[in-house]
Amino acid sequence: MQSLQSEVIENQAISKKTKDLIDKLLLGKFSFAEVAKIVGVSEQWLQAYVNPK
């Protein structure tokens, strides 16, 4: 499991443009794994990004 510090650094590295793309892809018929692969983030990061929404 990643430390909180690693998550904070990783969150800062993901641009708003990429997050907007993630949001659009998740509205489509893409699986979590596909979205993670398309945008180049880990599935764990994607889950942590989506959970608060």
Side-chain angles (χ1 to χ4, degrees):
M1 183 167 209
Q2 289 183 329
S3 70
L4 181 58
Q5 183 179 8
S6 295
E7 279 186 38
V8 170
I9 292 169
E10 196 169 321
N11 280 336
Q12 291 174 351
I14 307 299
S15 70
K16 178 169 177 9
K17 187 175 181 179
T18 300
K19 289 178 181 178
D20 290 343
L21 176 60
I22 290 169
D23 293 339
K24 288 178 184 177
L25 291 172
L26 289 172
L27 293 174
K29 294 184 178 182
F30 293 98
S31 71
F32 239 55
E34 290 170 327
V35 172
K37 189 171 185 177
I38 289 168
V39 299
V41 299
S42 69
E43 290 182 49
Q44 294 83 6
W45 181 91
L46 186 57
Q47 186 67 57
Y49 171 70
V50 172
N51 279 346
K53 291 187 173 223

